Amino acid sequence: MEKLRVISVKIPEEVYKEILLRIPDGERSNFIREAIIEKLQKTPKPDKILELERRISKMEREFSKIKKYLADLELLTYEQGKINPHLFCIDETDHKIMDYLIHYKGATTPELAEYLKTNRWFILNRLRRMQKRSEKQLGKPVIIYYPGEKSGKKRAWWINEEIIEL
């Protein structure tokens, strides 16, 4: 048998009374020890958690590669090197944002918010999400934020005309 260590535990009065009622006098230490061991067996070890995190990261990278390959397959349906920008839209709002950007080649978040009659922060989050999704899948973003002045607009989002089909 392993060497046993003594620990002190504070438990609620009601739990203590339940132990006194249910567990005979000489078996309480064994009961508590077994309960702790049983609970520890159900709790994952930190090494296992780290291993699972690594495996999940690896799977995410692999899925990212698969998404990129699928995006490449979509590229084949368009002119090589050009992409349909609507691939990175999730819902109707994203499609409307993309349509506006394609039509006007670029827009500020207040312009898009006014066009869609919504909050500019909502628009900003959508733009960032589309930018990140496209960059993750293609290696280049389909829309680009430019803080300087371009075509008479300051701090605006622009379609990356190098990689999209218009």
Side-chain angles (χ1 to χ4, degrees):
M1 189 169 166
E2 292 182 36
K3 182 178 176 184
L4 300 176
R5 296 284 186 156
V6 176
I7 63 170
S8 142
V9 180
K10 291 183 180 182
I11 58 175
E13 183 73 27
E14 288 182 22
V15 174
Y16 178 72
K17 287 179 181 176
E18 278 295 315
I19 290 174
L20 290 177
L21 285 174
R22 294 183 185 199
I23 312 301
D25 194 18
E27 298 179 19
R28 291 183 189 136
S29 288
N30 287 338
F31 176 81
I32 294 170
R33 185 180 316 110
E34 288 171 8
I36 291 171
I37 290 170
E38 184 179 318
K39 182 72 173 180
L40 282 174
Q41 288 174 344
K42 293 179 181 178
T43 306
K45 296 179 181 176
D47 295 342
K48 289 286 186 183
I49 293 172
L50 287 174
E51 181 184 335
L52 289 172
E53 285 177 351
R54 284 189 210 115
R55 288 177 64 190
I56 289 172
S57 299
K58 183 180 177 187
M59 287 174 57
E60 286 175 343
R61 284 192 303 274
E62 295 298 321
F63 282 129
S64 175
K65 286 180 186 176
I66 290 171
K67 284 182 180 179
K68 185 182 182 314
Y69 296 143
L70 290 173
D72 289 344
L73 289 174
E74 183 68 22
L75 284 173
L76 295 177
T77 63
Y78 291 92
E79 182 183 329
Q80 188 62 32
K82 302 287 184 180
I83 185 84
N84 179 359
H86 287 278
L87 287 174
F88 308 103
C89 300
I90 292 176
D91 60 7
E92 192 60 35
T93 303
D94 286 354
H95 286 289
K96 287 179 182 178
I97 291 170
M98 193 59 70
D99 288 338
Y100 189 93
L101 289 172
I102 290 169
H103 185 264
Y104 293 102
K105 306 286 190 236
T108 63
T109 51
E111 288 173 344
L112 288 165
E114 184 179 324
Y115 171 70
L116 293 171
K117 296 177 181 28
T118 187
N119 183 326
R120 72 182 181 94
W121 292 104
F122 175 75
I123 299 296
L124 179 62
N125 289 334
R126 293 301 185 104
L127 289 164
R128 286 180 178 161
R129 186 176 60 196
M130 286 188 283
Q131 181 184 33
K132 286 177 185 173
R133 288 184 73 214
S134 64
E135 191 165 14
K136 192 173 187 178
Q137 289 182 14
L138 301 173
K140 293 181 181 179
V142 80
I143 54 175
I144 302 168
Y145 175 74
Y146 183 67
E149 188 170 339
K150 179 178 173 182
S151 299
K153 296 180 188 213
K154 289 183 181 178
R155 298 187 305 249
W157 290 85
W158 301 93
I159 291 288
N160 187 350
E161 294 179 3
E162 299 171 0
I163 63 171
I164 68 160
E165 179 184 275
L166 294 174

